[in-house]
């Protein structure tokens, strides 16, 4: 963590459109995963409205094509297209990467699942870790050359305040030796998002690729919470009057993603964690804000990078 936290004129109630007011993105190419709904959809819409050529990566292509038509600007240089992308299927990730041509200026790793029942991919990976981290890790590293070609690309990893509840359990990432806990699995995957930003920010700085993570806040009316059901075992309050985190609508929830993806205010900033459109300070016990020390630990970040490469290499070798 840096002692000089980046602050902006924006805050918890700022909308994504307000963040990019007056900013033109003509000629910029962007990818937003999970762009067919929620804050991913709004992120894609606002980037395109500013002039970017946006591709939304979606599991349901028909739904993605429909959304792309709905949010594409009526006029101007911005566009929105949809492409198939299943983050839990490495063949799908590889196909998406192989189909990409030319530079990539903005990559928003937005798709995610929260507190889902125990599921595993065909490789045996726990589903939340596979979706929220490994699929995005494979996508970002696969697109590294395209990001480098942009000469100033930005990668945005959408994490969560839930990361403060626990780190990556390297000796049992896939819950093979311990009882499965959906919230522990979620926390682990969201910590992984931050650790990815820390290590990618370090590794890719010379390629002029900035990588940052963020907590979007607790967003009303999205599909992310569809698995939570009985929240009595949740480590956080889901009462709308709670001050644990900032409650936001979708337009406000996409603001920090858009800030890191395209605002000049974030120019040259990398390897950091943001919330409410500002860089977050250290997490303090009892307050569900800030970034936990385990999520920005450089040793953990380097270890996760290698573990992720090893897991993906095993799949590639087996194929």
């Amino acid at each position: 963590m840096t002692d000089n936290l980046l602050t902006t004129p924006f805050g918890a109630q700022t909308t994504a459109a307000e963040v990019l007011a007056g900013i033109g993105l003509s000629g910029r190419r962007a990818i937003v995963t999970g762009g067919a709904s929620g804050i991913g959809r709004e992120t894609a819409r606002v980037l395109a409205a500013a002039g970017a050529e946006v591709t939304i990566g979606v599991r349901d292509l028909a739904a993605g094509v429909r959304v792309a038509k709905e949010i594409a600007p009526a006029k101007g240089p911005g566009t929105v297209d949809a492409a198939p992308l299943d983050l839990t299927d490495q063949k799908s990730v590889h196909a998406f990467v192989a189909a990409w041509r030319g530079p990539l200026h903005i990559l928003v790793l937005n798709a995610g699942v929260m507190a889902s029942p125990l599921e595993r991919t065909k490789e045996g990976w726990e589903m939340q870790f596979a979706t929220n981290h490994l699929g995005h890790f494979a996508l970002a590293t696969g697109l590294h050359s395209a990001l480098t070609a942009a000469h100033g690309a930005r990668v945005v990893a959408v994490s969560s305040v839930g990361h403060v509840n626990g780190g990556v359990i390297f000796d049992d990432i896939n819950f093979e030796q311990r009882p499965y806990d959906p919230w522990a699995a979620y926390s682990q995957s969201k910590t992984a998002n931050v650790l990815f930003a820390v290590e990618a920010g370090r590794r890719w700085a010379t390629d002029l690729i900035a990588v940052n993570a963020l907590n979007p806040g607790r967003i009303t009316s999205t599909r992310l919470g569809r698995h939570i059901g009985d929240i009595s075992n949740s480590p956080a309050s889901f009462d709308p009057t709670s001050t644990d985190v900032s409650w936001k609508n979708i337009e406000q929830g996409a603001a920090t993603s858009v800030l890191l993806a395209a605002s000049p205010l974030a120019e040259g900033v990398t390897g950091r964690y943001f919330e409410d459109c500002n860089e977050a300070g250290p997490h303090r016990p009892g307050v569900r804000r800030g970034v936990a020390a385990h999520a920005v630990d450089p040793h953990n970040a380097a270890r996760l990078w290698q573990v992720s490469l090893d897991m993906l290499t095993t799949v590639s070798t087996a194929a």
Side-chain angles (χ1 to χ4, degrees):
M1 286 288 294
T2 176
D3 292 329
N4 299 314
L5 301 179
L6 175 66
T7 61
T8 77
F10 307 124
Q13 304 309 308
T14 303
T15 67
E18 289 170 342
V19 168
L20 289 193
I23 295 173
L25 299 178
S26 180
R28 304 279 186 91
R29 305 175 73 211
I31 293 170
V32 180
T33 69
S37 63
I39 64 172
R41 174 184 171 130
E42 180 66 3
T43 298
R45 187 192 72 81
V46 171
L47 291 174
E53 300 172 21
V54 181
T55 298
I56 55 174
V58 295
R59 294 183 67 174
D60 184 337
L61 184 58
V65 169
R66 183 173 62 253
V67 169
K69 292 179 180 178
E70 292 171 354
I71 65 176
K75 58 181 179 179
T79 60
V80 184
D81 295 303
L85 176 62
D86 182 348
L87 292 166
T88 68
D89 182 346
Q90 287 301 305
K91 288 185 178 180
S92 175
V93 175
H94 293 161
F96 185 97
V97 170
W100 187 263
R101 296 289 183 273
L104 174 61
H105 303 84
I106 298 167
L107 173 60
V108 183
L109 308 176
N110 167 84
V113 61
M114 180 174 73
S116 57
L118 178 59
E119 292 183 79
R120 299 188 185 279
T121 66
K122 63 182 180 181
E123 297 86 4
W125 301 333
E126 187 277 314
M127 192 63 73
Q128 293 192 72
F129 188 81
T131 304
N132 297 346
H133 169 65
L134 271 180
H136 280 140
F137 179 86
L139 179 67
T141 53
L143 290 168
H144 176 261
S145 60
L147 292 163
T148 301
H151 304 292
R154 298 192 190 183
V155 180
V156 181
V158 179
S159 180
S160 165
V161 70
H163 84 273
V164 305
N165 296 315
V168 176
I169 308 303
F170 288 101
D171 294 333
D172 190 22
I173 286 176
N174 292 307
F175 288 84
E176 297 169 325
Q177 303 165 29
R178 55 184 166 138
Y180 179 72
D181 180 326
W183 291 106
Y186 181 66
S187 299
Q188 174 175 253
S189 71
K190 295 288 101 178
T191 288
N193 294 152
V194 188
L195 291 173
F196 165 76
V198 170
E199 182 65 6
R202 183 188 70 82
R203 287 173 175 260
W204 296 350
T206 55
D207 300 317
L208 302 182
I209 303 171
V211 190
N212 293 287
L214 67 104
N215 162 31
R218 187 158 295 147
I219 318 303
T220 58
S221 304
T222 74
R223 297 184 67 248
L224 181 62
R226 63 191 180 276
H227 294 297
I228 64 176
D230 178 10
I231 61 174
S232 60
N233 294 321
S234 166
S237 170
F238 281 81
D239 183 337
T241 64
S242 168
T243 57
D244 278 355
V245 296
S246 298
W247 285 83
K248 304 178 182 181
N249 59 32
I250 289 174
E251 292 78 10
Q252 295 163 341
T256 308
S257 294
V258 167
L259 175 91
L260 295 174
S263 172
L265 296 174
E267 188 71 34
V269 176
T270 193
R272 305 187 194 181
Y273 174 89
F274 285 70
E275 59 190 3
D276 297 341
C277 293
N278 289 274
E279 186 177 357
H283 169 65
R284 293 183 289 111
V287 180
R288 293 184 64 77
R289 296 181 185 276
V291 62
H294 62 249
V296 290
D297 180 87
H299 174 75
N300 288 346
R303 184 178 183 185
L304 177 64
W305 191 280
Q306 188 58 54
V307 166
S308 302
L309 286 177
D310 291 345
M311 293 174 75
L312 294 174
T313 299
T314 299
V315 173
S316 178
T317 301

